[in-house]
Amino acid sequence: MTDVKPMRADARRNYERLLAEARRAFAERGVDASLEDIARSAGVGIGTLYRHFPTREALLETLLRDRFDGQAEKARELLTAEDPLDGLYTWLIGLGTTAGAYHGLVELMADAINDPESRLHASCHAMQDAVSHLVDRAKEAGALRADVTTRELLLLSHGASWAGTHLPGERGMERLLTLVFEGLRAS
């Protein structure tokens, strides 16, 4: 087993500044924001950024890890929801909010689930596994169409998240998911 050395104080400060600047840059300019600009804004060289985060996806995965872990935990909590379909819907709204955090993230997440080389692949699969239990529960209760797959629901959530940014008002994604869910209910 390999021992992980703690970061030196200056390396830890650089790491934290890089995360803060990346969070700001991705929120303002999307996931394609310049890594060079992020490093410059953090007061470090691009080599320091790449030493901490070898790829753009590694940086995004670090920024999103807490959100992804929170989504997985929320899925476990919602397994006890009184209405299984409402529990699933609530989880998908949370995923849509996470996916909509940065312009372009929806596309990266949708691609990452099919790309084992992606740094986001494991996180996306963990979320797929977490929600699959909610999907199964809703199907078993007769609340969700039997032919709906977990992958389809994830893509629908991603699509609603992306499309919701093009509707006026703050709740575009929720509105679109509500419309979709009406078609997913078992008859």
Side-chain angles (χ1 to χ4, degrees):
M1 183 172 201
T2 316
D3 290 326
V4 177
K5 289 183 177 181
M7 280 189 214
R8 296 184 331 255
D10 62 328
R12 175 49 94 184
R13 280 191 302 275
N14 289 343
Y15 179 85
E16 295 299 331
R17 282 197 313 259
L18 283 165
L19 287 176
E21 289 302 322
R23 191 175 290 112
R24 184 188 58 72
F26 291 152
E28 290 175 3
R29 296 186 296 282
V31 296
D32 291 328
S34 164
L35 296 181
E36 289 83 5
D37 289 348
I38 290 170
R40 190 176 316 110
S41 295
V44 300
I46 191 67
T48 300
L49 182 143
Y50 282 121
R51 198 167 23 262
H52 289 290
F53 309 102
T55 64
R56 178 180 303 275
E57 283 186 345
L59 177 56
L60 279 163
E61 198 277 331
T62 300
L63 286 174
L64 295 167
R65 187 175 306 130
D66 288 341
R67 288 180 186 213
F68 288 165
D69 290 347
Q71 277 297 116
E73 177 60 31
K74 186 69 172 174
R76 286 187 288 277
E77 291 170 12
L78 289 168
L79 280 171
T80 61
E82 188 173 323
D83 180 335
L85 197 58
D86 285 345
L88 177 59
Y89 174 77
T90 298
W91 190 88
L92 288 170
I93 291 292
L95 176 64
T97 300
T98 294
Y102 305 130
H103 178 71
L105 182 58
V106 169
E107 293 89 345
L108 275 178
M109 290 173 70
D111 290 342
I113 200 144
N114 296 316
D115 180 5
E117 301 300 315
S118 168
R119 289 291 294 255
L120 295 171
H121 182 76
S123 296
C124 289
H125 266 278
M127 283 196 291
Q128 180 175 300
D129 291 344
V131 74
S132 69
H133 301 293
L134 292 171
V135 171
D136 292 345
R137 183 170 178 254
K139 286 180 181 181
E140 288 166 8
L144 182 65
R145 289 175 41 168
D147 63 332
V148 175
T149 68
T150 299
R151 176 76 54 98
E152 289 169 338
L153 287 176
L154 289 173
L155 289 172
L156 284 170
S157 178
H158 290 335
S161 181
W162 175 85
T165 63
H166 300 285
L167 289 175
E170 295 177 13
R171 301 177 67 95
M173 181 260 305
E174 287 183 43
R175 166 74 178 142
L176 291 173
L177 270 181
T178 299
L179 292 171
V180 167
F181 252 69
E182 291 308 311
L184 293 173
R185 288 190 186 277
S187 51

